[in-house]
Amino acid sequence: EVGGLVQNLSHLLVRTLGETIKVRLRLPPAPLHALVDPHQLENALLNLALNARDAMPEGGELTIGVALRSVDRELARATELAPGDYVQIEVSDTGCGIPPELLSRVFEPFVTTKPFGGGSGLGLSIARQLVELLGGRLDVARSDSTGSTFRVVLPVDHEAVVGVEGLAAAAGAL
């Protein structure tokens, strides 16, 4: 269950990110299950959170939201996702954002905004690879001078969902 995984990860994030970064969660009222290896998803989210921490050297807020997302045929063409239901995880920060000239290359290995020796530039590349191994997508949903939002979209595990009511209740969290 993705919300529970994020809830458990938030305890580690609070300790890892430090006192100057507030961690906020937006979790759905009903459980959402995705077809994932929980350890790979945790690693991907941790990489996103550490990247966000580096974008907020003076502190700020990290928000992780989980919701149900339905993709129709039109949206499927635009996003390269198959039509259907997905678990969406958004990781947002109030950091400095990504420079426009790097935005199209942000998931390439060794691309970094940090000074030499400040980081490997592998965090976002690793996060995207992990999400793709899980059958999902990772994209930049927004980045400007007020922060960045990364969106993870993962296939719903329909076998774990108990009835249509569970999906309908989760949809209410959107």
Side-chain angles (χ1 to χ4, degrees):
E1 198 274 311
V2 176
L5 181 142
V6 168
Q7 179 76 47
N8 291 337
L9 182 63
S10 71
H11 302 294
L12 171 65
L13 292 178
V14 166
R15 292 190 308 273
T16 304
L17 300 179
E19 295 177 7
T20 62
I21 296 177
K22 173 115 175 117
V23 176
R24 296 188 187 276
L25 302 179
R26 290 188 341 260
L27 302 177
L32 286 176
H33 298 272
L35 293 167
V36 297
D37 175 314
H39 300 295
Q40 286 180 324
L41 181 55
E42 285 175 347
N43 282 333
L45 295 176
L46 183 58
N47 271 299
L48 290 172
L50 293 174
N51 195 68
R53 176 197 62 193
D54 293 344
M56 301 183 287
E58 305 300 318
E61 285 187 15
L62 176 76
T63 302
I64 302 175
V66 178
L68 179 69
R69 179 179 188 187
S70 292
V71 174
D72 61 17
R73 289 183 203 268
E74 186 176 322
L75 185 56
R77 282 190 294 273
T79 61
E80 299 178 16
L81 293 168
D85 294 323
Y86 292 85
V87 176
Q88 177 176 288
I89 306 166
E90 287 191 345
V91 179
S92 300
D93 66 61
T94 58
C96 58
I98 302 165
E101 64 273 10
L102 289 181
L103 201 52
S104 66
R105 299 180 44 230
V106 74
F107 294 110
E108 292 177 16
F110 309 112
V111 171
T112 183
T113 59
K114 299 175 199 112
F116 182 75
S120 66
L122 290 173
L124 292 177
S125 175
I126 289 170
R128 181 176 249 184
Q129 288 176 357
L130 288 168
V131 169
E132 287 176 352
L133 282 172
L134 297 170
R137 290 186 51 88
L138 169 60
D139 293 303
V140 179
R142 175 191 67 84
S143 187
D144 56 34
S145 62
T146 63
S148 298
T149 299
F150 289 85
R151 184 176 296 138
V152 176
V153 182
L154 301 163
V156 166
D157 182 355
H158 288 283
E159 296 199 12
V161 175
V162 181
V164 175
E165 296 82 23
L167 276 179
L174 290 176

